Amino acid sequence: MLDIAQNRPDNRPDLPREIARRRTFAIISHPDAGKTTLTEKFLLFGGAIQMAGQVRAKGEARRTRSDFMQMEKDRGISVSASAMSFDFKEFRFNLVDTPGHSDFSEDTYRTLTAVDAAVMVIDGAKGVESQTQKLFEVCRMRDLPILTFCNKMDRESRDTFDIIDEIQENLAIDVTPASWPIGTGREFVGCYDMLNDRLELMDRADRNKVAASIEINGLDDPALDENLPADLVVKLREEVEMARELLPTLDPQAVLEGHMTPIWFGSAINSFGVKELMNGIAVYGPQPQPQSAEPRKIAPEEDKVTGFVFKVQANMDPKHRDRVAFLRMASGHFKRGMKLTHVRSKKPMTITNPVLFLASDRELADEAWAGDIIGIPNHGQLRIGDTLTEGEALRVTGIPSFAPELLQTARAGDPLKSKHLEKALMQFAEEGAAKVFKPVFGSGFIVGVVGQLQFEVLASRIELEYGLPVRFEQSQFTSARWVQGERAALEAFIDANQAHIAHDNDGDVVYLTRLQWDIDRVQRDYPDIRLTATKEMMV
């Protein structure tokens, strides 16, 4: 039995056992590093599914279980963060699978506000890629502990020391090997488990089978020679000896503080190295952490229930036109039927049908503890950034909204249906899938996104979920900034710049720009006005 309390920072009180056994983490990576496949194997080893799907479905082959949007299934990419809860040994894992595609990074940034740790997946041939680096920076800003999985070792991959050096240099974090690969590509036979002194051998025949594990007593154990080709044994002994001299040893406290990352090597598609990584999350991953809020921090061990919405997903089930708010429990023990205060509106809400997610399946949640992620079906009352409490006026902070980098005008294919289009766009704006701006002058809406692929996803979803063909056309504007300032200065600014002014779906004032010159001019001519590229999701 693992000691659930062993990875707690020294100055924090013991958490109730149910909370202490929670591990809430996100998986981050560059597209195509194998993140969705790894998620599938987590569910498989957690006993949550019987058979892992393939990321790109061929004919009737199983679809991956964590991708539920039609476009995700067709393209084999994850474009929306999904949450999954399952048990592993005596632990409760809450896993959030984030979009790998950089066009959906805003969804990922917000998701990282709702987790206590991140698992970084890198490709053994490609090393640290641009999107990994961006996401890592967000983790660093939040001091999130990071555990690393180097995937695709069964394909041609780079030298192990090169991979570790690259992570240390590019990401400025200490790396300590938790396992060491034996052979690469076709010669890859398994790993030496450096933490438990075990030899893990990969079975290429059955992809869903857990690797064979052989207890050995150090690198001099003759069992190594009996199970591995002689040349690989020599190389393994040399490399592990060098690694132990050159690389830092695992310091659990440094991992929790985000200064060190342990790295496991494996092949998710062959189910290899996944079990060791899951053990690593259980032993070295953090318990539920305190949450930043105004006017005070929220500690997970508090008796009163608090939670915050970090994501809203509309039409998860298109037949029911439903909207589900993803709520991260920040403290307490929630029970179904509880009455909670919706802090923004100050109104009570009775949570009668909360759900737990298993990818595209869901079941009613009778209870949830700090660290868990539950879904609350609602008709638009809950927005990203909302806090629910047992009465205290707390507001969880640090959930960002970013200025879009691409703007286009949205037009309904049928002009008579523009009201329907407005409703659809507002729904996606509240979900955080796009920014929707209503210009003061002119008709129509300007839609802002971070990446081009989001326009395709929006058009496809509006057509599928609302039966509305929609066109996105070039806008004269290229970016947007939120406007802040004292009321008198703000009103004077709006009057003088009406052709550039719009309101977002929260009613906040936005300045639409064509060139950087527009922003420079405002800063020069209106010293009392602030233009910002991010706004906190206010409640």
Side-chain angles (χ1 to χ4, degrees), residues 127-139:
V128 178
E129 296 172 86
S130 58
Q131 182 65 6
T132 323
Q133 194 143 2
K134 270 191 201 167
L135 293 170
F136 179 85
E137 292 306 327
V138 181
C139 295

Side-chain angles (χ1 to χ4, degrees), residues 277-434:
L277 174 63
M278 290 172 85
N279 278 327
I281 294 166
V283 179
Y284 302 107
Q287 301 172 352
Q289 296 295 298
Q291 191 65 46
S292 299
E294 293 288 342
R296 63 175 186 81
K297 269 193 163 182
I298 302 165
E301 65 273 11
E302 290 175 25
D303 291 335
K304 295 264 174 91
V305 168
T306 51
F308 64 97
V309 176
F310 66 94
K311 176 182 170 60
V312 174
Q313 184 71 52
N315 302 337
M316 278 179 85
D317 181 349
K319 289 195 274 297
H320 294 126
R321 275 269 174 274
D322 66 344
R323 299 159 57 93
V324 175
F326 286 66
L327 186 88
R328 157 72 196 243
M329 296 283 300
S331 68
H333 179 201
F334 166 85
K335 296 188 185 74
R336 183 154 73 95
M338 258 183 135
K339 195 170 270 189
L340 296 175
T341 301
H342 180 226
V343 175
R344 176 166 53 87
S345 68
K346 302 183 179 60
K347 288 181 182 163
M349 273 182 94
T350 304
I351 316 294
T352 48
N353 53 351
V355 290
L356 274 177
F357 298 101
L358 173 59
S360 51
D361 302 334
R362 31 174 147 158
E363 57 187 52
L364 268 178
D366 287 318
E367 60 172 1
W369 295 81
D372 284 338
I373 290 168
I374 57 172
I376 301 178
N378 68 100
H379 294 292
Q381 303 96 309
L382 291 175
R383 290 196 214 153
I384 292 169
D386 276 353
T387 307
L388 296 179
T389 72
E390 277 194 68
E392 192 178 346
L394 292 168
R395 187 174 70 77
V396 167
T397 55
I399 301 172
S401 182
F402 297 98
E405 293 170 21
L406 299 169
L407 297 179
Q408 290 194 359
T409 307
R411 305 234 183 268
D414 176 352
L416 298 175
K417 294 210 169 151
S418 54
K419 264 277 173 266
H420 293 79
L421 177 62
E422 177 175 351
K423 189 179 166 193
L425 289 174
M426 285 305 165
Q427 181 130 22
F428 290 126
E430 282 170 19
E431 190 185 300

Side-chain angles (χ1 to χ4, degrees), residues 138-321:
V138 181
C139 295
R140 159 114 337 137
M141 274 161 30
R142 297 187 49 76
D143 288 328
L144 280 182
I146 290 180
L147 298 99
T148 304
F149 183 69
C150 186
N151 193 18
K152 303 191 181 182
M153 295 305 292
D154 57 322
R155 304 190 188 174
E156 286 313 314
S157 57
R158 289 168 39 193
D159 176 74
T160 312
F161 284 107
D162 282 355
I163 293 170
I164 290 175
D165 281 352
E166 186 177 13
I167 298 171
Q168 293 195 141
E169 278 175 30
N170 285 10
L171 305 180
I173 190 169
D174 286 335
V175 181
T176 181
S179 69
W180 197 268
I182 305 167
T184 55
R186 288 190 179 159
E187 301 293 307
F188 181 67
V189 291
C191 281
Y192 173 59
D193 180 342
M194 293 177 70
L195 302 178
N196 303 298
D197 219 17
R198 277 202 302 255
L199 185 61
E200 309 288 349
L201 297 176
M202 186 171 84
D203 185 336
R204 281 180 188 261
D206 183 352
R207 289 184 156 180
N208 287 338
K209 192 174 164 191
V210 180
S213 187
I214 299 159
E215 291 282 347
I216 55 172
N217 191 9
L219 286 168
D220 298 327
D221 194 320
L224 273 180
D225 301 288
E226 289 160 25
N227 288 283
L228 296 172
D231 59 325
L232 290 181
V233 174
V234 172
K235 190 168 185 232
L236 174 69
R237 284 178 176 142
E238 274 176 13
E239 289 187 343
V240 171
E241 208 168 297
M242 273 174 70
R244 283 187 168 147
E245 276 181 30
L246 298 172
L247 298 169
T249 50
L250 183 61
D251 173 356
Q253 193 56 36
V255 174
L256 287 177
E257 289 166 3
H259 306 316
M260 172 181 278
T261 178
I263 184 167
W264 284 263
F265 293 85
S267 161
I269 199 140
N270 287 299
S271 304
F272 184 76
V274 178
K275 202 78 177 261
E276 290 70 35
L277 174 63
M278 290 172 85
N279 278 327
I281 294 166
V283 179
Y284 302 107
Q287 301 172 352
Q289 296 295 298
Q291 191 65 46
S292 299
E294 293 288 342
R296 63 175 186 81
K297 269 193 163 182
I298 302 165
E301 65 273 11
E302 290 175 25
D303 291 335
K304 295 264 174 91
V305 168
T306 51
F308 64 97
V309 176
F310 66 94
K311 176 182 170 60
V312 174
Q313 184 71 52
N315 302 337
M316 278 179 85
D317 181 349
K319 289 195 274 297
H320 294 126
R321 275 269 174 274

Side-chain angles (χ1 to χ4, degrees), residues 68 72 79-83 96-99 107-108 111 310-311 313 326:
F68 59 81
E72 296 180 305
V79 296
S80 109
S82 53
V96 187
D97 179 25
T98 59
D107 199 14
T108 305
T111 299
F310 66 94
K311 176 182 170 60
Q313 184 71 52
F326 286 66

